[in-house]
Amino acid sequence: MIKEFPEYQDVLLSVIIKELDLKRSMEVDTEIILTYQSNSVEAIDGQANSPISDAVSTFDNDVFVGNDYNGDESDTTDDNDSDDNGEEDTAKIYLEEFNSPFAASGMPENPVHRFITTFTVLFASHYVVNKGSVVLIEFINELFKIYGQDFQLPKSLAGLHKMTGFLSITKGIKRFVSCPNCHCIYEENMSVPPHCVFTNVGARSPCGLRGTIIDPMHNLFLGTPKRMMDRWVDKKTIGAKEFAAIEKIAETMVLPRDYTKLTSKIGKGFPYMKADDWKSWVLVYSPVLLHDVLPFEMYNNWMNFVRACCYLIKPSITFDEVNSAHDYLEMFCKKATKLYTSTILTCNMHLHLHLRETIRDFGPVYGYWLFGFERYNGLLKHIKTNGKDSFEATYMRSFVQNAFKGDYDNAVLKSSSHVSFFNILSKLSPKFTPTTTVITLSSCPFRLQSFLLASSNPHLPPKGNKPLPPSTFPLQLKKLSLMDETDYAHLLQHYKTSYDLPDLVSYQYATLTNSFVDNEITKLKFIDLLGQQYRGKNGSASCGSLVHVMFVGSDSRNTLVYAGQIQYLFTHSFTHPSNSNLHLTRMVHDHQHVFAYIKWFNTSSDRSHEDDGLEFCLPTFSPDSCHCIVPVHHIFLEIATARITTSRNVSKMLVIALPKKLYA
């Protein structure tokens, strides 16, 4: 029978009736998507100056100027194009069928029947036990009869699975056995050797660890941080008074979304800490909170460990960075024996010195550290089994079905008439995201190296319309909106500077000239740049909105890094006036620019934490200018912040630069 989910009982009935009522008014057409291609236009690059004066800030006192910053937390693009012949190249793309792993020849062609069939099999897999599914199928078949439909579902769940091809998701699951000595895997129905046939070819490192993967999650975050904290507590280096003080600072800290907040755990002495908690402690909290708590030499030695972790956790890492991390870990271990005793070192800390070989042999840590395994353990334990034999296969079937339900939905539901019901399907398939319906062709494809240089070399500032990674934008975009007049003035000035077009005018004079900038924008909830997500400020929440951006100094030689907060992200269409008459019918994305509107924090003259990779700013914003309009290509990395009050009762903000996550 159906389990107790009353909200879905209502959904089930309303969905079926609504689909049947809409059947007669629906038409299914073959969709042809028009896309456009053109050549790019070169424009003169403008110099990007610093958002704030290079001089030392004069705001380091009790009187602040600017807007207050609330750091408390409450909660496809192309270049400018032109065609030599003045005509547009139009390409028709026909969406052809391919051999889908979810293909089901028995699925009905009628889009209404197809949706109800898909909904039924998903609903049964999510909320209905085997016997109850028969009752559900009978109920739906009766509704088909009442509404005069000539279609019926199979009378059994097995028949429904066969019709829909739903079992094809798990048809490749097999059972295997492993050798207890060498862990070699054999298929269960194959003949297994009577004894282990593995040949040990010998070790290549002094302690025999070369070729063995060391898990960085346990090695870095579940061993050393806890051992060092236990030592500091046992020796009274950190006591109740210090824990209370650092907890107050921790409460003011704003972290990105993918870091765990530790406010209460810090005050209680780090109870029940998981690896993800220790990771946040090492990378974000400890550089700030331990600075005035630990003795100078102990803190500096601890920062060697922190710097090594900042290198090692990167999804993309160079050999030079691997060597630097190894040097930091070696310094940390050697100095620890002098600051404490030789017994401070453990076998786990010795393994730090073998992480270099592990990464050289097996690549960046994201490919094999156990964070993902631990997360999936939490998912697997919620899967119910019947307590009989072969529960491993039951686990795997449920897991794989849940993982690929979204792909299954996209494969079997291709009609545009189903769009209004996608929200309901997302409740049955948490990972379901409708595929995009617009395909674009770019004459200037995305180039990884150019994209990476854009954020780290401000001498080559992008205008905002260079190609971005394919996964940058959310699939559902907001509607066009009018830009705030004050912000629009800065956008107009940005275009004048970056394109060297001093004669550009406001949209208010659009009837007089083609050299104008429109005031319509599309705001974005977030963008994803190769795995690094950035968001605009949402109310008083700041997660994901605090960033570092590089600028060229006033002398055109020095590179300066400024901290700011993204107010909102947006796309804007701008056509270069020199070729606007050739492209009166071009689609918006051909000249789409992607920007972040960023407010900049006032700088501080305090450099006391600079050697530790931390910087001081003031918790106030500098006046807005055209430098608030920043192409998203120019964002350097994400930051965290903490509020600190000095002995003179001056409020300052510490900025912690975090490792950049780029899956490239």
Side-chain angles (χ1 to χ4, degrees):
M1 63 183 297
I2 298 179
K3 299 178 183 178
E4 294 298 325
F5 294 98
E7 70 276 13
Y8 287 111
Q9 295 176 14
D10 296 337
V11 168
L12 174 62
L13 184 58
S14 63
V15 167
I16 296 173
I17 293 177
K18 186 175 181 181
E19 274 285 355
L20 292 172
D21 284 339
L22 291 176
K23 174 184 180 296
R24 294 179 181 85
S25 62
M26 291 183 180
E27 295 181 359
V28 182
D29 299 326
T30 302
E31 296 183 2
I32 301 177
I33 300 175
L34 299 181
T35 65
Y36 298 83
Q37 303 179 73
S38 61
N39 299 323
S40 61
V41 160
E42 294 291 332
I44 301 175
D45 285 304
Q47 178 64 49
N49 293 323
S50 307
I52 309 173
S53 173
D54 294 350
V56 175
S57 173
T58 59
F59 298 116
D60 283 2
N61 50 50
D62 296 335
V63 180
F64 295 131
V65 179
N67 302 319
D68 288 339
Y69 158 66
N70 182 6
D72 297 334
E73 179 187 355
S74 61
D75 37 87
T76 347
T77 57
D78 298 310
D79 287 331
N80 287 320
D81 300 333
S82 67
D83 293 326
D84 294 335
N85 56 8
E87 299 179 358
E88 293 177 335
D89 297 328
T90 304
K92 292 185 179 180
I93 299 179
Y94 294 86
L95 302 183
E96 299 181 355
E97 293 290 338
F98 63 95
N99 294 326
S100 169
F102 308 113
S105 57
M107 285 289 279
E109 294 295 330
N110 184 299
V112 178
H113 298 164
R114 178 180 285 260
F115 172 78
I116 294 177
T117 304
T118 304
F119 180 86
T120 304
V121 72
L122 292 176
F123 190 90
S125 70
H126 206 76
Y127 294 110
V128 185
V129 297
N130 291 340
K131 293 182 180 179
S133 61
V134 177
V135 179
L136 175 64
I137 292 172
E138 290 179 358
F139 169 73
I140 294 175
N141 282 336
E142 285 298 318
L143 286 179
F144 277 129
K145 292 178 182 178
I146 293 173
Y147 280 85
Q149 301 298 306
D150 58 352
F151 175 74
Q152 293 281 286
L153 296 174
K155 295 182 179 180
S156 66
L157 183 61
L160 184 64
H161 284 164
K162 184 177 181 181
M163 167 187 277
T164 59
F166 188 69
L167 289 184
S168 63
I169 297 177
T170 58
K171 66 181 180 181
I173 294 179
K174 301 177 182 179
R175 295 186 62 179
F176 295 83
V177 295
S178 64
C179 172
N181 296 322
C182 67
H183 308 291
C184 186
I185 303 298
Y186 300 94
E187 196 169 334
E188 190 177 44
N189 57 0
M190 294 175 57
S191 58
V192 180
H195 56 82
C196 181
V197 295
F198 178 74
T199 302
N200 191 341
V201 296
R204 291 162 53 191
S205 65
C207 55
L209 286 175
R210 190 66 182 262
T212 300
I213 292 182
I214 300 170
D215 170 38
M217 184 193 80
H218 287 87
N219 180 246
L220 294 175
F221 300 122
L222 282 178
T224 301
K226 184 178 185 305
R227 179 161 182 80
M228 299 308 299
M229 181 56 65
D230 290 342
R231 176 57 65 97
W232 296 329
V233 172
D234 291 342
K235 298 300 181 181
K236 309 299 182 184
T237 306
I238 301 179
K241 180 181 178 181
E242 287 77 15
F243 278 129
I246 64 178
E247 182 180 14
K248 290 182 179 179
I249 300 176
E251 289 173 350
T252 70
M253 296 184 68
V254 178
L255 278 66
R257 289 175 176 265
D258 50 353
Y259 287 87
T260 306
K261 289 189 69 68
L262 302 178
T263 307
S264 60
K265 290 188 176 182
I266 292 176
K268 296 177 182 178
F270 300 90
Y272 310 109
M273 293 279 284
K274 297 181 179 179
D276 205 42
D277 299 330
W278 283 117
K279 178 186 170 190
S280 291
W281 165 253
V282 171
L283 300 176
V284 186
Y285 286 96
S286 68
V288 175
L289 302 182
L290 295 180
H291 186 274
D292 297 323
V293 174
L294 291 180
F296 178 76
E297 287 192 342
M298 287 186 180
Y299 177 79
N300 282 347
N301 189 51
W302 170 252
M303 288 304 296
N304 287 329
F305 180 78
V306 173
R307 295 184 188 103
C309 291
C310 287
Y311 279 127
L312 295 175
I313 69 162
K314 296 170 64 174
S316 300
I317 187 171
T318 65
F319 285 111
D320 287 341
E321 290 172 333
V322 173
N323 291 332
S324 296
H326 178 81
D327 292 341
Y328 281 127
L329 289 173
E330 191 171 35
M331 285 189 289
F332 168 74
C333 292
K334 288 181 177 179
K335 189 66 174 179
T337 59
K338 298 178 181 179
L339 292 174
Y340 309 99
T341 62
S342 59
T343 58
I344 189 68
L345 295 182
T346 63
C347 293
N348 181 72
M349 296 170 75
H350 167 75
L351 292 177
H352 292 338
L353 304 182
H354 291 281
L355 283 173
R356 177 168 61 176
E357 285 74 22
T358 296
I359 295 175
R360 283 179 172 176
D361 291 343
F362 301 101
V365 298
Y366 272 71
Y368 46 85
W369 69 0
L370 296 182
F371 276 110
F373 289 90
E374 296 292 344
R375 178 175 177 268
Y376 284 126
N377 283 340
L379 298 176
L380 289 174
K381 71 181 182 181
H382 295 297
I383 296 177
K384 292 180 172 54
T385 66
N386 55 15
K388 298 180 180 179
D389 191 20
S390 301
F391 69 90
E392 299 94 342
T394 302
Y395 273 126
M396 186 54 64
R397 275 193 294 269
S398 299
F399 177 80
V400 173
Q401 285 178 1
N402 289 331
F404 289 98
K405 278 180 181 177
D407 295 329
Y408 172 80
D409 292 340
N410 279 320
V412 300
L413 298 178
K414 300 178 180 178
S415 172
S416 59
S417 62
H418 296 137
V419 172
S420 59
F421 296 97
F422 283 163
N423 185 48
I424 297 174
L425 287 178
S426 66
K427 297 177 182 179
L428 300 177
S429 307
K431 296 182 180 296
F432 172 60
T433 305
T435 54
T436 53
T437 56
V438 177
I439 298 176
T440 63
L441 295 179
S442 172
S443 59
C444 185
F446 171 72
R447 290 184 173 86
L448 176 62
Q449 193 63 30
S450 299
F451 174 77
L452 296 177
L453 286 175
S455 64
S456 58
N457 186 359
H459 292 276
L460 302 171
K463 299 179 181 67
N465 65 337
K466 299 297 182 182
L468 289 168
S471 60
T472 296
F473 303 103
L475 293 177
Q476 295 180 346
L477 301 179
K478 296 181 180 179
K479 295 181 180 179
L480 282 171
S481 60
L482 299 180
M483 194 173 190
D484 177 82
E485 288 297 324
T486 303
D487 297 351
Y488 170 77
H490 302 318
L491 178 66
L492 176 61
Q493 185 60 41
H494 169 83
Y495 281 125
K496 287 182 178 181
T497 304
S498 61
Y499 282 97
D500 194 20
L501 296 171
D503 296 330
L504 278 178
V505 299
S506 169
Y507 67 93
Q508 297 170 340
Y509 304 100
T511 57
L512 304 178
T513 176
N514 288 331
S515 299
F516 72 94
V517 175
D518 196 1
N519 67 332
E520 286 189 334
I521 61 174
T522 300
K523 290 189 176 182
L524 305 172
K525 186 176 181 181
F526 68 90
I527 56 170
D528 189 306
L529 301 179
L530 296 178
Q532 183 73 68
Q533 245 186 45
Y534 300 102
R535 297 175 178 267
K537 180 178 181 291
N538 182 19
S540 60
S542 303
C543 294
S545 66
L546 302 174
V547 294
H548 261 166
V549 178
M550 286 187 175
F551 285 89
V552 177
S554 57
D555 59 1
S556 300
R557 292 192 303 270
N558 293 334
T559 298
L560 306 173
V561 179
Y562 288 93
Q565 183 183 53
I566 300 175
Q567 303 301 300
Y568 56 91
L569 298 152
F570 67 97
T571 64
H572 181 263
S573 179
F574 173 71
T575 303
H576 196 284
S578 64
N579 64 316
S580 59
N581 59 329
L582 304 179
H583 296 278
L584 298 179
T585 60
R586 299 194 67 83
M587 297 177 68
V588 173
H589 61 256
D590 280 348
H591 293 284
Q592 184 185 67
H593 295 64
V594 189
F595 297 112
Y597 192 93
I598 303 178
K599 286 181 174 289
W600 303 104
F601 294 111
N602 284 308
T603 57
S604 170
S605 59
D606 190 340
R607 300 290 184 265
S608 59
H609 288 53
E610 197 170 41
D611 293 339
D612 305 319
L614 308 174
E615 66 171 297
F616 272 113
C617 290
L618 301 180
T620 55
F621 292 120
S622 64
D624 289 5
S625 68
C626 64
H627 299 297
C628 293
I629 305 295
V630 179
V632 297
H633 319 63
H634 209 30
I635 299 175
F636 184 47
L637 47 79
E638 206 168 24
I639 61 176
T641 61
R643 291 286 192 96
I644 292 179
T645 303
T646 66
S647 57
R648 293 187 298 164
N649 202 30
V650 176
S651 179
K652 294 184 179 182
M653 187 173 68
L654 262 177
V655 175
I656 308 103
L658 300 175
K660 193 168 187 177
K661 292 192 343 183
L662 289 179
Y663 295 90

